[in-house]
Amino acid sequence: MNDAILEVRDLTVRFGTKRGVAHVVNGISYTINRGETLAIVGESGSGKSVGVLALMGLLPQPPALVTGSVRYHGRELLDLPPREWRSIRGKGMAMIFQDPMASLNPVRTIGYQLIEPMEHHLRLKGKAAQNRATDLLDLVGIPSPKERLKNYPHQMSGGMRQRVMIAMGLACDPDVLVADEATTALDVTTQAQIVELVGRLQEKIGMAVIWITHDLGVVAGIADRVHVMYGGRFMEQASVDNLFATPRHPYTRALLGSIPKPGKERPAKLMTIAGMPPDPVLMPAGCPFAPRCAHADGARCDDTIPQMESLGGTHGAACHYPLEAKS
Amino acid sequence: MRAFLIKRIFQMLLALIGVSIVVFALMHLVPGDPVRVALGTRFDQDLYDSLRADLGLDRPLAQQYVSWLGGALTGDLGVSFRNGQPVTQLILERLPATITLAMAALFIALLVALPAGIISAVRSGTGLDYAVSAASQIGISLPDFWAGVMYILLFSLTLGWFPSSGYTQIGDGIGEWIRHIILPAMTVGLISGSIITRFVRSAVLEALNQHYVITARAKGLSEWQVVRRHVLPNAWIPIVTVVGLQLGFLLGGVVVVEVIFAWPGLGRLALTAVKDRDFTVLQGSVLYIAFMFLVINLLVDVIYARLDPRVRVS
Ligand SMILES: Nc1ncnc2c1ncn2[C@@H]1O[C@H](COP(=O)(O)OP(=O)(O)OP(=O)(O)O)[C@@H](O)[C@H]1O
Ligand code: SF4
Ligand SMILES: [Mg+2]
């Protein structure tokens, strides 16, 4: 397991806002190895996107302030001059986004947008670039790929556009692909196809994937390990099997309780935990989940932030009173 | 594209007919009898009646309109009440001065507005952005007559670089032409440029906030590449509209500036026509201005279709 591609240590992101400092990401750490899929799960507003935008260097500073460490193949990214960081972005580390319509430029052809990173990083031009673009579209399962290169985004369906986004992410053979809610905007069938596609490509190319979602259901199908995020912190981290079988953090338990079980009605809202996620400007002094937690003790939980502690193996939880493994 | 063009030209003709009806109606409904005014103190009922008959003013309005429209379609806009010259000829005589001034002013406007607007959007929130905003605010608020007079005082009377007024044709020497056109073009162009700057800034800012910009950055493109390859191609779409609108205004003649700089453009022709109640000239001028607007509109639509693939297919 010494194949670490990306090591994130104590990553913190704050924003200066009119209301005060927003503590959006509050010291998250993880390592991702070659060929591995790591899922980051959490409610809307928990800081998932900001966390990965920070490690891609895509947060304008100011207003953001990013601290901590992000090592890519042992090289610290956060101190990198912009120029050198740009040579990694889109090449070694690629990112795909939630809304495939908004994420593609409406006035540029698919071919233009797909070839752009190849031109930029691999100096591929003309026929060679065209061929590679065609191959990529073919790889992600787009029929008659050659003709599609001339299309504009509005001439494709949502699922097709998301496949194009993935092809764009793969353009320069990255070893890390960050997928931020890559399937959220799609219908369930297309969603399953995309998840399956990424899994297949990953095996074939050996890249690592950071899969961000608020849908625990998707996680089960794709990830090796899961980090549960809340209030800009990781609450629990475990292998997928362990997380689903023995969730140890009250928040994870609540999340799992809110996903639909086979045979039961799908809840109207995916997250049905009472109360609201914390306001990043007014973060609780103790455990961020305390205001909504059924197990909070009203003392330590309110004034001491629980640290991530190992519960055996790679399973960890940040809670003063981790739940029993069985129940 | 051809079907699109044909459709748009057809719409334009319809609009032109609509405009002509309104123009015609207005001219005949506003108080003030042009023949009476023309006669002035020499008023005599018989003369008055025969003049009206000569001009066809005794016929029913609808009939007058139809014959006027028929003439307009063949390029005959009637003759001036004042001096009997053909209106078409009066307008055509003024066109070179108007078009050259409009083009020179637009050139100056774009020369200022494009870089200023783009830079202040890309560097939004910085001192540079505020400086550009302040400058364009001043440019918009300054009255054109005041700016024109100031330029004359500075560049003409004090520094003696440029003549304070007058018009020469391009054919009579490009150097003299530039010397004469520069001050009026600057007066109009800087105001126009200030307006366009704001639109450029907001169009670029709007495009910069779109998601595809993050996608482009995620590819590793530099900020300038992102702007050039992704932001501007989207920003042009709204910018073209404003530039077209500004050009429309400029081609209609800029009255105040023409008066200050003794510039023989359409603005002054129309102004004189108003003063003299020279209805046929006024009618012709307004029709011409409407025509210019519609032509530019058509041009803008064609450019739109070039810039925006979503327009092209629908
Ligand atoms: N530029 C900014 N300035 C201030 N606050 C910000 C900024 N960007 C994001 N935030 C705040 O950071 C928090 C986390 O945002 P983020 O987009 O990372 O959430 P998320 O977990 O990705 O949620 P979602 O599932 O909705 O995508 C939000 O409360 C948001 O208001
Ligand atoms: S630390 Fe306390 S409040 Fe936080 S999750 Fe654990 S029990 Fe609940
Ligand atoms: Mg997000």
Side-chain angles (χ1 to χ4, degrees):
Chain A
M1 290 284 271
N2 288 337
D3 262 354
I5 296 177
L6 197 67
E7 294 173 85
V8 178
R9 289 288 162 267
D10 216 17
L11 184 68
T12 302
V13 184
R14 278 164 285 179
F15 290 97
T17 72
K18 287 194 197 81
R19 297 191 302 130
V21 180
H23 299 265
V24 174
V25 176
N26 303 299
I28 56 175
S29 304
Y30 53 93
T31 303
I32 183 160
N33 299 313
R34 215 182 116 69
E36 192 179 37
T37 302
L38 180 99
I40 300 178
V41 190
E43 280 173 279
S44 185
S46 54
K48 307 180 297 290
S49 297
V50 168
V52 284
L53 286 172
L55 70 92
M56 290 290 296
L58 291 173
L59 282 180
Q61 305 191 57
L65 177 66
V66 180
T67 57
S69 157
V70 177
R71 288 181 177 275
Y72 171 72
H73 290 293
R75 193 164 166 213
E76 178 59 55
L77 294 183
L78 294 188
D79 316 327
L80 225 50
R83 208 192 164 78
E84 280 178 52
W85 201 338
R86 283 204 299 271
S87 69
I88 296 174
R89 199 180 296 143
K91 184 161 188 270
M93 295 169 67
M95 184 159 177
I96 56 182
F97 299 91
Q98 170 166 357
D99 183 345
M101 185 71 231
S103 301
L104 289 169
N105 188 336
V107 307
R108 293 292 196 196
T109 60
I110 299 302
Y112 181 98
Q113 300 186 62
L114 192 50
I115 286 171
E116 199 169 31
M118 305 175 200
E119 252 173 21
H120 189 71
H121 292 293
L122 311 176
R123 306 263 157 250
L124 269 187
K125 283 200 179 71
K127 221 42 279 104
Q130 293 265 340
N131 288 340
R132 183 168 167 82
T134 313
D135 290 348
L136 279 168
L137 287 187
D138 192 37
L139 184 72
V140 298
I142 290 184
S144 44
K146 208 176 173 104
E147 287 68 54
R148 285 300 191 170
L149 289 180
K150 293 186 213 85
N151 278 178
Y152 288 92
H154 71 272
Q155 294 166 312
M156 296 184 139
S157 69
M160 286 291 165
R161 287 193 291 256
Q162 195 53 283
R163 286 166 196 265
V164 170
M165 282 299 291
I166 294 173
M168 254 162 66
L170 301 178
C172 302
D173 290 327
D175 41 26
V176 183
L177 181 72
V178 179
D180 186 359
E181 310 264 14
T183 60
T184 307
L186 307 174
D187 62 79
V188 183
T189 322
T190 320
Q191 198 167 331
Q193 286 171 354
I194 299 277
V195 167
E196 199 258 344
L197 168 69
V198 172
R200 213 155 22 86
L201 293 173
Q202 186 176 18
E203 252 167 54
K204 196 159 160 182
I205 308 172
M207 68 185 172
V209 173
I210 301 181
W211 190 274
I212 293 185
T213 179
H214 57 250
D215 187 351
L216 266 172
V218 173
V219 171
I222 195 165
D224 301 312
R225 288 187 295 129
V226 189
H227 290 242
V228 177
M229 196 166 180
Y230 185 82
R233 295 175 187 279
F234 286 156
M235 297 285 105
E236 183 162 11
Q237 55 196 48
S239 68
V240 170
D241 296 341
N242 277 341
L243 191 91
F244 281 91
T246 56
R248 305 290 301 274
H249 194 285
Y251 177 61
T252 314
R253 189 73 60 94
L255 269 188
L256 283 170
S258 71
I259 64 165
K261 302 232 165 48
K264 289 202 180 161
E265 280 288 298
R266 202 180 166 82
K269 264 170 65 185
L270 268 178
M271 303 297 172
T272 50
I273 308 169
M276 296 279 291
D279 178 345
V281 179
L282 306 165
M283 268 304 167
C287 173
F289 190 52
R292 298 166 81 185
C293 181
H295 303 267
D297 64 358
R300 199 162 150 229
C301 292
D302 286 333
D303 48 49
T304 315
I305 297 175
Q307 301 300 315
M308 181 66 73
E309 310 257 2
S310 173
L311 302 165
T314 55
H315 199 154
C319 174
H320 296 310
Y321 309 105
L323 302 168
E324 288 309 312
K326 32 194 201 309
S327 63
Chain B
M1 190 69 195
R2 167 168 299 168
F4 168 81
L5 260 182
I6 291 174
K7 193 174 125 210
R8 294 296 290 118
I9 289 177
F10 184 71
Q11 284 173 347
M12 176 178 142
L13 288 178
L14 274 184
L16 210 53
I17 289 181
V19 169
S20 73
I21 293 177
V22 173
V23 168
F24 189 84
L26 274 181
M27 292 303 159
H28 287 80
L29 294 178
V30 290
D33 182 333
V35 178
R36 197 176 291 265
V37 173
L39 285 175
T41 50
R42 296 172 293 140
F43 185 77
D44 170 286
Q45 191 62 44
D46 290 342
L47 189 59
Y48 174 78
D49 289 342
S50 76
L51 251 179
R52 277 181 66 90
D54 279 355
L55 292 166
L57 293 177
D58 54 348
R59 292 179 294 162
L61 265 188
Q63 205 181 335
Q64 285 186 45
Y65 171 72
V66 170
S67 72
W68 177 68
L69 186 68
L73 286 179
T74 58
D76 175 10
L77 292 169
V79 296
S80 159
F81 275 154
R82 273 283 137 163
N83 51 27
Q85 278 182 293
V87 174
T88 309
Q89 185 197 329
L90 285 174
I91 290 176
L92 284 179
E93 274 172 6
R94 301 295 180 114
L95 271 190
T98 293
I99 291 177
T100 49
L101 180 58
M103 289 303 163
L106 190 71
F107 177 76
I108 291 176
L110 292 179
L111 204 66
V112 173
L114 292 181
I118 292 169
I119 288 171
S120 80
V122 173
R123 296 265 173 273
S124 87
T126 66
L128 201 60
D129 180 25
Y130 291 123
V132 169
S133 292
S136 73
Q137 184 58 49
I138 292 172
I140 292 170
S141 335
L142 281 188
D144 46 2
F145 65 86
W146 191 83
V149 169
M150 286 301 131
Y151 296 151
I152 291 176
L153 280 179
L154 178 63
F155 295 108
S156 177
L157 301 185
T158 309
L159 297 170
W161 291 352
F162 309 113
S164 61
S165 68
Y167 167 74
T168 68
Q169 290 176 349
I170 302 188
D172 300 341
I174 190 102
E176 270 311 291
W177 176 76
I178 290 178
R179 272 169 43 81
H180 280 86
I181 205 168
I182 211 155
L183 290 186
M186 216 165 83
T187 310
V188 188
L190 288 182
I191 293 171
S192 228
S194 301
I195 297 169
I196 298 174
T197 300
R198 297 192 141 195
F199 279 90
V200 172
R201 179 181 183 275
S202 70
V204 172
L205 215 50
E206 159 93 31
L208 267 173
N209 281 323
Q210 299 301 311
H211 226 100
Y212 53 75
V213 170
I214 302 180
T215 308
R217 289 189 187 128
K219 290 175 180 174
L221 301 184
S222 71
E223 199 53 24
W224 176 236
Q225 285 171 319
V226 172
V227 169
R228 193 165 45 85
R229 301 176 67 118
H230 293 278
V231 173
L232 291 183
N234 281 282
W236 291 139
I237 298 166
I239 291 173
V240 163
T241 316
V242 200
V243 172
L245 220 55
Q246 286 294 318
L247 184 61
F249 284 125
L250 296 177
L251 284 174
V254 276
V255 181
V256 174
V257 171
E258 287 176 16
V259 170
I260 295 175
F261 291 96
W263 196 262
L266 274 161
R268 269 170 68 208
L269 181 71
L271 183 70
T272 319
V274 170
K275 277 197 301 210
D276 296 350
R277 300 245 156 102
D278 197 342
F279 280 37
T280 41
V281 172
L282 204 49
Q283 251 172 23
S285 307
V286 175
L287 197 66
Y288 154 82
I289 290 169
F291 178 71
M292 277 300 176
F293 262 99
L294 289 169
V295 168
I296 287 165
N297 233 311
L298 180 71
L299 217 69
V300 165
D301 281 347
V302 170
I303 297 175
Y304 254 36
R306 294 242 110 246
L307 290 175
D308 193 341
R310 289 161 297 186
V311 173
R312 226 174 290 162
V313 286
S314 58

